[in-house]
Amino acid sequence: MSSSQMLKGILDGCLLGIIHKGETYGYEMIEKLEIYGFRMVSEGSIYPVLMRLQKDGFVRSVMKESPSGPKRKYYTLTPLGEEEYEQFKERWESLSHSVNRLVKEEN
Amino acid sequence: MALSRESEEFIANLRMYLMTSGKNDHEINEIAEELRGHLEDAESRGKTVDSVTGGSPKTYLETIRNEMKTDYFGLTRLAPMFILLLIAYFITGSAIRGDLSFSLLKLVAYPAIALLSIGAYIYYFRKMSAANYSTKKELSIFIAIQIITTLSLAAVLFIDIFFFEPFYIPSRETMWVIAALGALVFIAGAIWTKTWITIILPLFLFGPDFILQFFQYNETTELIISASGLYLGMAVVVLILYWQNKKQNPHKS
């Protein structure tokens, strides 16, 4: 299983986490993800996820003209999104804990 | 900032693909704008369109499509005007020439052929926007559809003349009223779609026939004038579309 396949299931939560840190737009999210070491994300793959997050009511977006660059769509979390992010953190905590225990025991 | 030709093509294909998949115009614009912005940022940092699509535009377009709901309401909103235009294209010419008649065969076969051919166009437009066909292949597919449509229409006309009795032939006055209604539909269609094509095309299609009604020529001359008007019209439409396309996509040759 490749990293990008593994990431598929948790990219939603990671994007919630990035947006949780402050209003941001697609390209900037990619750059922020890269800073955290997510290099396996194909850049385009975040947009279908953003569409889904918006459809589910976790994020809201607004188009803004930027003085230098292109028109950008900025995303923020809704209260529902904040709640979802908290739940994601809990689920990740317990999942990563279990996976860690398993793989470390094997070594 | 201008995008590379590949990126412009990708955005145009995205729009075409989502449009022919029956998605909402507003949502299509939104994702197209967003991806354009992303591509501008990406290209200014030396990346290509592959960084967005991950190398497979087809898979990427499908993922986007699956996240958007199909706008059935938008489609049904288009239907009445679309059907009116279709009917107008079929009967206005005959009404002007004075040979309009209705038979059972025409009533069934014409709409069926029209729908099938439009279905084929939409199917291939969608397919082409996701796959990367050569211009030659695209052109031959459209020409093939056009030839099949024309041949089927001719076949129906032929069978109709020999085997079917019209059940209704309007009087000459009624035909002029029908022709005027047809013209009204074309004008309404142009205003409604905000395109000039539903005015220009009928003008060339039916204009020569209309003018010929006021002169006495022999049949061959009439046929030549009428046919050359049609082809001249198509050439003008294609040229204008080509120029418009060039103006909108300066990178596309």
Side-chain angles (χ1 to χ4, degrees), chain B residues 127-176:
Chain B
K127 221 176 150 139
M128 281 168 193
S129 52
N132 233 336
Y133 287 171
S134 65
T135 317
K136 215 168 124 188
K137 192 170 174 190
E138 288 183 1
L139 214 63
S140 14
I141 288 175
F142 285 134
I143 290 173
I145 298 175
Q146 197 51 52
I147 289 174
I148 293 169
T149 309
T150 313
L151 285 181
S152 329
L153 289 176
V156 169
L157 195 66
F158 189 75
I159 297 169
D160 189 68
I161 289 171
F162 286 101
F163 299 106
F164 282 80
E165 277 300 312
F167 60 80
Y168 174 56
I169 301 176
S171 70
R172 194 71 188 97
E173 288 73 31
T174 318
M175 284 195 209
W176 280 121

Side-chain angles (χ1 to χ4, degrees), chain A residues 43-44 47 52 55 72 75, chain B residues 34 38 41 47 60 67:
Chain A
E43 293 186 9
Y47 292 102
R52 189 164 61 238
K55 213 162 47 185
R72 279 164 182 155
Y75 293 85
Chain B
E34 191 175 25
H38 181 105
D41 279 329
K47 296 179 194 162
Y60 189 66
E67 291 305 332

Side-chain angles (χ1 to χ4, degrees), chain B residues 83-94:
Chain B
I83 291 168
L84 275 178
L85 276 171
L86 212 61
I87 295 172
Y89 273 110
F90 271 115
I91 64 176
T92 306
S94 297

Side-chain angles (χ1 to χ4, degrees), chain A residues 16-79:
Chain A
L16 287 176
I18 295 282
I19 302 169
H20 169 78
K21 293 179 191 304
E23 192 185 46
T24 180
Y25 59 93
Y27 198 84
E28 204 177 47
M29 290 182 212
I30 288 287
E31 289 180 324
K32 287 180 177 168
L33 282 171
E34 277 176 5
I35 292 172
Y36 286 97
F38 291 95
R39 282 175 213 288
M40 57 297 279
V41 187
S42 126
E43 293 186 9
S45 63
I46 65 167
Y47 292 102
V49 178
L50 287 171
M51 288 168 110
R52 189 164 61 238
L53 291 178
Q54 184 154 20
K55 213 162 47 185
D56 291 341
F58 297 148
V59 299
R60 70 169 79 84
S61 68
V62 57
M63 272 295 205
K64 285 186 194 170
E65 297 272 1
S66 72
S68 53
K71 235 195 223 175
R72 279 164 182 155
K73 197 170 171 186
Y74 284 84
Y75 293 85
T76 44
L77 288 193
T78 61

Side-chain angles (χ1 to χ4, degrees), chain A residues 72-101:
Chain A
R72 279 164 182 155
K73 197 170 171 186
Y74 284 84
Y75 293 85
T76 44
L77 288 193
T78 61
L80 196 67
E82 296 284 357
E83 214 173 281
E84 175 70 15
Y85 179 53
E86 288 307 314
Q87 283 173 17
F88 169 76
K89 280 201 290 195
E90 279 168 32
R91 283 194 296 261
W92 174 248
E93 205 59 57
S94 85
L95 184 70
S96 63
H97 182 69
S98 310
V99 175
N100 276 334
R101 255 173 59 185

Side-chain angles (χ1 to χ4, degrees), chain B residues 65-252:
Chain B
R65 186 195 70 199
N66 290 336
E67 291 305 332
M68 293 167 84
K69 55 180 187 303
T70 305
D71 188 9
Y72 292 107
F73 180 70
L75 289 178
T76 49
R77 219 162 26 117
L78 293 177
M81 191 71 219
F82 184 73
I83 291 168
L84 275 178
L85 276 171
L86 212 61
I87 295 172
Y89 273 110
F90 271 115
I91 64 176
T92 306
S94 297
I96 290 173
R97 285 190 301 273
D99 55 16
L100 183 66
S101 67
F102 295 95
S103 76
L104 198 61
L105 179 71
K106 282 186 187 168
L107 230 49
V108 175
Y110 279 175
I113 293 171
L115 287 180
L116 280 177
S117 116
I118 289 160
Y121 271 114
I122 291 178
Y123 174 79
Y124 279 105
F125 264 126
R126 214 177 117 185
K127 221 176 150 139
M128 281 168 193
S129 52
N132 233 336
Y133 287 171
S134 65
T135 317
K136 215 168 124 188
K137 192 170 174 190
E138 288 183 1
L139 214 63
S140 14
I141 288 175
F142 285 134
I143 290 173
I145 298 175
Q146 197 51 52
I147 289 174
I148 293 169
T149 309
T150 313
L151 285 181
S152 329
L153 289 176
V156 169
L157 195 66
F158 189 75
I159 297 169
D160 189 68
I161 289 171
F162 286 101
F163 299 106
F164 282 80
E165 277 300 312
F167 60 80
Y168 174 56
I169 301 176
S171 70
R172 194 71 188 97
E173 288 73 31
T174 318
M175 284 195 209
W176 280 121
V177 173
I178 291 173
L181 286 175
L184 264 179
V185 169
F186 291 132
I187 295 168
I191 295 170
W192 192 69
T193 58
K194 297 192 191 69
T195 52
W196 43 267
I197 206 155
T198 63
I199 296 228
I200 302 287
L201 197 63
L203 212 60
F204 281 107
L205 273 174
F206 312 126
D209 281 329
F210 180 72
I211 295 165
L212 284 173
Q213 293 308 311
F214 302 99
F215 300 98
Q216 285 300 320
Y217 289 113
N218 64 47
E219 253 178 58
T220 331
T221 326
E222 279 191 9
L223 203 66
I224 291 170
I225 296 176
S226 172
S228 41
L230 172 61
Y231 287 107
L232 193 75
M234 282 188 173
V236 169
V237 168
V238 169
L239 267 179
I240 295 177
L241 282 177
Y242 175 74
W243 279 326
Q244 258 190 356
N245 186 39
K246 226 175 160 179
K247 226 167 40 187
Q248 282 168 2
N249 302 313
H251 297 281
K252 235 176 158 175

